[in-house]
Amino acid sequence: MEFVSPEGLRIDGRRPQELRALQCKFGVLSCCDGSALFQAGNTKVFAAVYGPRVADIRGQALHDRALIKCEYAHAAFSTGAARRRRGRSRKSTELAALVRGALEQTILVELLPRAQVEVCIQVLFADGGVTAACINAAMLAVADAGIPVRDMVAACGAGHLEAMPLLDLNHTEAATGGLEVCVALHPALDRVVLLQADAKASVDTLEAVTTLALQGCKAAAGAMREALLQHVRSLAARRGAI
Amino acid sequence: MSLAPQQALASPVENTVVGPGDSVLVLPEAGQVRVGAGLHADGGHLRTTRPGILRRTKAGKLWVQGRQIRYIPAAGDAVVGTVVERHSDAYNVDLGGPFAAVLPALAFEGATRRNRPNLTPGDLVYARVTAASRDADPEITCTDASGKGAGFGPLQEGLVLTCSSALVRQLLASPPPPVVAALGAALAFELAVGQNGRVWVGNADSSTVVLVANALANSERLSPGQAHLMVKKLLASVQA
Amino acid sequence: MQRDLDTLLSNSERNFILKALKEEQRIDGRRPFDYRKIQYQFPADEDGSATVQLGATRVMAVVTAALEAPFPDRPNEGSLRFNVELSPMASPAFEVGRPGEAALEAMRLLERALRDSRAVDLEALCVLVGQKVWHVRVDVHVLDHAGNLADAAGLAALAALMAFRRPEASVAPGGGGGGGGERGAVTLHAPDVREPLPLSLHHLPLAVTFGLFEGGEAVVLDPSLKEAAAAAGMLTVIATTHGEVCALHKPGGIGISLSQTMRLVRVACAKAAEVAEGLRAALRGHETARVARRVCRRGAQGADAGALLDDAAGAVAVVPGLGDPGRAAAAAGGAHLDALAGSSGARNGSGGALEPGGMDSSDAEEGSRTSARPGEPRKLPRAGLVAAAAVVGGARARQGPSSLPEQAPGDNFEAIAAMIAGAAQGRPHSGDALDLQAAVKPKSGKRAKVRKWQPLGT
């Protein structure tokens, strides 16, 4: 199966260094403090944030910083192949830990001692780039809730197929088992917060793919920021505040 | 107009929409910059911590006007809280923020050890925050600074709206927003606006309270003109 | 403890709600027996998924089916299973991992409504007695809990079951000669070869929930979150549209008189009929859109498609009938355009992902499709892909030999569907049954007939 045609098109018609179309929506759920829907191509992720509030279990609260908890739920139908997931699998715990790690660096936890911020993520449709989409959705929900953050965090994945670095792999491309890298970045501070790479590759390949992923992060960050500002602007305009 | 993410300015541009992590100001080597909510000094830059509109108060303090649902207690705020627990000499009151606040049992107008209000868990109170620090539970009181009631105290039957900080700011602004003015011109009711995002509507008959509460809840998403129209329609349907 | 705090109802609100109810006034302005606004969403490219919004409560249900061996005690029946997940994002009171009583209660209500009442015909799910039956599984996800989960979950599950289509399975006659032993091979037909079949439902059971207040006198239908917190008891009636009751559920709570109960049951039957009407109307809209999309799938090959798509604007809808190659390539081309049409609905600007996992997951028979599919993009220029994916105004027509009248702009999906049914008449194989299924079967050697109509999505 060829992943990149001679004209330079991938299976879904993108160019090798092209991101999928991103879509962000805010305030989609009514019960939580902040919520967002993030869609990259067909990958669709909901995130909801509760917090800052009192820790569920008093003993877990930290005296000098906030406790970030992350729950990840993977809808049973979301890979389209009716694979049944029984409750929490190890993969979902791992993903939740990754998102939590990215958020712990982003949220200004010293400003909220003894409080707890809980992030719930629900993947509705997984078409590759799930980790990146979860981090982005969580970031948007945190921004919607007004929780203080150091900077935005944007994540993107990239891979290497047929001797070419490809940005933002979808499910079919990722399923081949080639190199896949997921990067989360603070764009304004220009710091890499999360970096996961799988599969064996030479250092040069790794560097090329990671650089590509970083550029993808910056593009994603720009798009997310624009969507956020648009949302704030429309709310403020309706109130007559601007 | 909005700031590009990497653009750091010598002087900040007010009344612009900012995103989180935007650099607003390059901090000078020496001197003072007065900073309010939503801003954070980080490595030579002053950055925003949440999305919103950058404002400067009359006193020259920079802050980011954002919109959030959770309440972070600040001294001097008037809040609507629900009593959660009762101890021998204090009540624990939930403000919708990270921690429950402490309300001393004698913090009411004219209360003495023998004669003090008897609150049960589940009662609503309108109180004022006296002390709020990051590391300790906030303290509230049902009197004003001079010890008088001034409207604070337990609240009777009514509906409580949960809303964002932006709507609360709007309601507390003076002159009152068009929704409140229009409703108040036609109906008689009482409002207790808590800066913790809770608004109590009461002291009127049921249909009035329901109408006012729903009108206020919907008004956040409407422009002033639309809000006016909505109120007119609601009043017409009530009087019909 | 904090979870309870967030959903705590203060005394003054509780007293107010009760006082207002005495005057038949509800806190959101509804009348005592009014439902909140119900909205349905069916995703464009999936059969068997539905999202229902009841006021602010949002529930999503997805139906999947697998062909497996039946349970030993019921060799000629399929099975129906439910799973309700209360995601912690739905309410501060939900905890992840442990299902809790609320989830279990919702799941049992669904089972009683849809399975124990024999609403779904399980015997029709049998393909080969004793060997292969369809096991249907309904996953219900609660995304936002703003009161009355039971009704919303029931509606979502029912809508998803009614929208679900399972592939048609045929059994090859089990080889010659005598007796037992030789089983027929079961073939699953791909959706573009044989039209997928809906499940057969005998009746439509709907859950109607009442909140009961002090003394059992004040009753409200479809309690919101605050009303449910102030209520002293709940009664759920699962009724069909024909005035029959499938189940009653009153788990404790305040006692009410029998006459009051029967009165509520009658109200529930009337309300169930109303809600079912709304559900049927929504499904009709979804069905016509679905049919229109299936028409789109019969894509023309290579050059034809290129010529059709070179206009910057326009949905191309090509009626069945393909150029030369065999069925596999035809199916591939069809699937490709289907994906394009589907992705256009998903607003993918400069690049749409083809159907991911979905249709070509692990079935071996689809291997050939997957291999043929990447061939397609080569034949179409990139501009063509973009044009097809970005459905923007206007229409592109190639006036091929067409025995059917031109469509006026502004016609809708019903007209398209009617036309397809009529299109079968113009075919040489008019001996076939005049139904939609025949119309969308690809036949080799036919010229593509192109009609001009409004782009999808308007």
Side-chain angles (χ1 to χ4, degrees):
Chain A
M1 180 176 180
E2 238 192 52
F3 291 100
V4 184
S5 71
E7 286 107 28
L9 295 179
R10 291 152 74 173
I11 325 177
D12 50 11
R14 284 187 284 155
R15 295 242 166 252
Q17 307 204 346
E18 196 181 326
L19 267 184
R20 290 179 284 185
L22 301 180
Q23 242 209 327
C24 312
K25 277 197 204 140
F26 299 92
V28 292
L29 299 174
S30 66
C31 291
C32 44
D33 300 327
S35 61
L37 172 65
F38 180 80
Q39 195 168 351
N42 283 337
T43 302
K44 203 163 162 182
V45 179
F46 258 120
V49 167
Y50 289 98
R53 60 181 187 181
V54 180
D56 281 341
I57 306 171
R58 293 294 171 122
Q60 278 183 355
L62 303 163
H63 71 280
D64 59 345
R65 32 164 297 188
L67 177 71
I68 316 265
K69 279 173 104 165
C70 184
E71 309 291 355
Y72 168 81
H74 188 121
F77 44 83
S78 62
T79 54
R83 266 189 294 253
R84 288 127 201 222
R85 303 223 174 228
R86 307 244 162 236
R88 309 169 99 168
S89 64
R90 272 173 288 170
K91 188 148 187 278
S92 64
T93 318
E94 182 194 355
L95 245 167
L98 287 178
V99 176
R100 194 188 71 228
L103 286 181
E104 272 177 357
Q105 281 305 309
T106 313
I107 299 181
L108 286 165
V109 287
E110 298 82 25
L111 292 183
L112 308 164
R114 293 184 304 135
Q116 169 185 296
V117 174
E118 189 173 335
V119 178
C120 307
I121 300 178
Q122 173 102 8
V123 173
L124 293 179
F125 202 95
D127 182 24
V130 173
T131 317
C134 290
I135 296 177
N136 290 338
M139 172 68 228
L140 292 174
V142 162
D144 187 47
I147 297 179
V149 293
R150 183 167 292 134
D151 189 6
M152 290 206 46
V153 64
C156 188
H160 188 82
L161 283 177
E162 295 177 5
M164 205 184 304
L166 297 179
L167 186 60
D168 197 8
L169 301 179
N170 63 18
H171 179 78
T172 328
E173 290 166 343
T176 57
L179 171 68
E180 192 179 0
V181 163
C182 179
V183 178
L185 174 78
H186 279 164
L189 301 173
D190 207 15
R191 297 230 183 289
V192 170
V193 172
L194 180 136
L195 179 57
Q196 300 274 92
D198 292 306
K200 191 164 72 104
S202 72
V203 178
D204 292 329
T205 317
L206 182 65
E207 188 171 352
V209 171
T210 313
T211 316
L212 182 60
L214 272 179
Q215 287 166 4
C217 287
K218 291 193 177 123
M224 282 159 56
R225 185 172 175 280
E226 261 321 300
L228 191 53
L229 292 183
Q230 184 58 37
H231 174 70
V232 171
R233 214 174 276 132
S234 66
L235 275 183
R238 271 195 226 122
R239 286 201 311 266
I242 276 202
Chain B
M1 199 195 104
S2 56
L3 300 174
Q6 258 71 354
Q7 184 187 343
L9 304 169
S11 64
V13 183
E14 283 122 53
N15 299 331
T16 55
V17 179
V18 291
D22 286 358
S23 174
V24 162
L25 183 63
V26 177
L27 293 173
E29 292 281 327
Q32 271 189 347
V33 177
R34 299 179 59 194
V35 158
L39 290 167
H40 171 74
D42 175 29
H45 286 257
L46 190 65
R47 294 190 185 274
T48 54
T49 61
R50 60 180 187 209
I53 308 172
L54 188 62
R55 302 264 194 222
R56 189 191 283 272
T57 64
K58 290 199 196 70
K61 205 158 70 154
L62 278 177
W63 63 291
V64 177
Q65 178 184 17
R67 174 188 177 273
Q68 65 198 73
I69 305 216
R70 281 287 160 184
Y71 172 61
I72 310 281
D77 286 350
V79 293
V80 171
T82 315
V83 174
V84 175
E85 276 172 4
R86 181 197 168 140
H87 299 294
S88 58
D89 56 353
Y91 300 97
N92 271 6
V93 177
D94 167 54
L95 300 179
F99 310 107
V102 175
L103 172 65
L106 292 177
F108 295 87
E109 181 180 9
T112 63
R113 287 200 56 209
R114 289 172 187 258
N115 166 29
R116 56 187 185 177
N118 195 3
L119 300 176
T120 52
D123 283 345
L124 276 179
V125 289
Y126 191 48
R128 183 176 62 95
V129 179
T130 49
S133 96
R134 233 161 52 177
D135 303 306
D137 287 339
E139 288 172 19
I140 59 176
T141 173
C142 280
T143 64
D144 65 4
S146 59
K148 297 253 191 293
F152 296 118
L155 294 170
Q156 300 311 319
E157 278 177 9
L159 272 187
V160 175
L161 285 181
T162 311
C163 53
S164 68
S165 57
L167 180 61
V168 164
R169 260 200 300 271
Q170 228 183 330
L171 290 174
L172 287 175
S174 77
V179 182
V180 176
L183 287 170
L187 306 164
F189 57 89
E190 208 174 297
L191 266 191
V193 178
Q195 278 166 306
N196 56 338
R198 299 194 185 162
V199 176
W200 173 86
V201 183
N203 218 358
D205 53 337
S206 324
S207 48
T208 313
V209 171
V210 168
L211 199 145
V212 171
N214 286 315
L216 286 179
N218 292 335
S219 69
E220 182 173 8
R221 304 248 158 210
L222 303 174
S223 71
Q226 287 171 321
H228 212 76
L229 277 176
M230 174 190 71
V231 170
K232 259 178 37 184
K233 257 197 298 192
L234 283 174
L235 290 175
S237 70
V238 159
Q239 272 136 22
Chain C
M1 215 307 241
Q2 174 63 30
R3 294 189 187 271
D4 301 324
L5 279 181
D6 277 339
T7 48
L8 193 63
L9 192 70
S10 60
N11 294 344
S12 44
E13 277 190 288
R14 178 177 286 115
N15 295 339
F16 177 78
I17 292 177
L18 295 174
K19 187 179 91 160
L21 274 179
K22 288 203 181 78
E23 302 163 21
E24 304 230 330
Q25 174 86 42
R26 292 174 79 169
I27 54 172
D28 50 4
R30 287 185 279 162
R31 284 169 313 174
F33 290 123
D34 277 349
Y35 257 109
R36 286 172 288 182
K37 181 164 172 216
I38 307 182
Q39 286 171 300
Y40 301 92
Q41 270 164 32
F42 299 96
D45 44 1
E46 268 180 58
D47 286 335
S49 166
T51 304
V52 168
Q53 244 183 303
L54 176 63
T57 302
R58 199 195 285 209
V59 178
M60 173 167 63
V62 174
V63 177
T64 46
L67 196 62
E68 281 161 10
F71 297 134
D73 54 338
R74 289 175 193 273
N76 62 335
E77 277 183 8
S79 81
L80 182 62
R81 264 187 303 165
F82 294 93
N83 177 35
V84 174
E85 277 188 36
L86 300 181
S87 153
M89 65 169 30
S91 160
F94 293 157
E95 283 180 32
V96 78
R98 270 168 288 159
E101 276 184 16
L104 204 60
E105 190 180 0
M107 196 177 81
R108 276 299 297 148
L109 274 175
L110 283 177
E111 282 182 355
R112 288 161 73 183
L114 291 162
R115 187 178 67 189
D116 299 349
S117 70
R118 313 238 128 228
V120 176
D121 188 352
L122 293 177
E123 287 186 3
L125 295 177
C126 174
V127 172
L128 196 55
V129 176
Q131 276 149 30
K132 291 283 187 197
V133 298
W134 286 106
H135 290 278
V136 177
R137 177 186 162 115
V138 182
D139 285 292
V140 176
H141 285 256
V142 176
L143 298 172
D144 206 353
H145 177 30
N148 202 2
L149 270 187
D151 292 9
L155 254 184
L158 188 62
L161 283 170
M162 288 169 81
F164 177 64
R165 300 282 179 269
R166 62 175 170 85
E168 185 174 339
S170 57
V171 183
E182 203 131 23
R183 57 175 82 162
V186 176
T187 344
L188 274 182
H189 297 280
D192 45 345
V193 173
R194 297 264 189 101
E195 186 80 7
L197 306 171
L199 297 174
S200 77
L201 290 161
H202 292 142
H203 54 256
L204 304 180
L206 287 164
V208 178
T209 304
F210 298 93
L212 311 167
F213 295 85
E214 44 167 31
E217 294 309 320
V219 179
V220 297
L221 177 73
D222 185 21
S224 64
L225 205 56
K226 285 195 178 171
E227 289 172 335
M234 306 276 260
L235 168 69
T236 303
V237 179
I238 302 182
T240 70
T241 48
H242 302 298
E244 293 166 326
V245 175
C246 295
L248 279 184
H249 181 69
K250 185 185 178 307
I254 194 158
I256 52 176
S257 68
L258 185 62
S259 57
Q260 174 80 305
T261 318
M262 296 322 294
R263 177 176 153 244
L264 291 179
V265 167
R266 277 184 250 286
V267 169
C269 291
K271 283 292 165 183
E274 272 176 41
V275 173
E277 247 335 287
L279 173 59
R280 284 205 199 95
L283 276 167
R284 271 196 294 271
H286 171 64
E287 186 56 31
T288 35
R290 217 183 116 254
V291 164
R293 265 197 312 280
R294 296 194 74 78
V295 168
C296 222
R297 275 147 101 284
R298 297 295 147 245
Q301 284 296 308
D304 289 56
L308 288 169
L309 295 174
D310 66 17
D311 194 287
V316 180
V318 180
V319 162
L322 292 176
D324 25 326
R327 198 184 59 153
H336 180 67
L337 269 182
D338 176 38
L340 285 177
S343 65
S344 68
R347 296 169 303 272
N348 280 336
S350 52
L354 288 186
E355 293 171 287
M359 293 224 299
D360 52 76
S361 35
S362 44
D363 302 340
E365 79 223 47
E366 315 227 25
S368 63
R369 267 183 74 210
T370 335
S371 59
R373 191 189 291 181
E376 289 311 310
R378 293 215 197 92
K379 295 187 184 161
L380 297 165
R382 177 144 194 272
L385 281 176
V386 173
V391 179
V392 180
R396 172 81 175 92
R398 191 187 67 166
Q399 304 299 326
S402 164
S403 58
L404 293 162
E406 285 303 313
Q407 284 296 308
D411 53 329
N412 51 12
F413 299 126
E414 281 92 0
I416 298 172
M419 266 191 34
I420 297 164
Q425 270 181 337
R427 298 177 167 276
H429 55 284
S430 54
D432 289 356
L434 192 68
D435 60 341
L436 223 46
Q437 186 159 342
V440 300
K441 262 193 220 168
K443 300 282 189 239
S444 48
K446 297 283 166 292
R447 286 205 59 80
K449 293 185 187 161
V450 183
R451 255 171 269 347
K452 174 167 74 172
W453 60 64
Q454 284 288 63
L456 299 177
T458 49

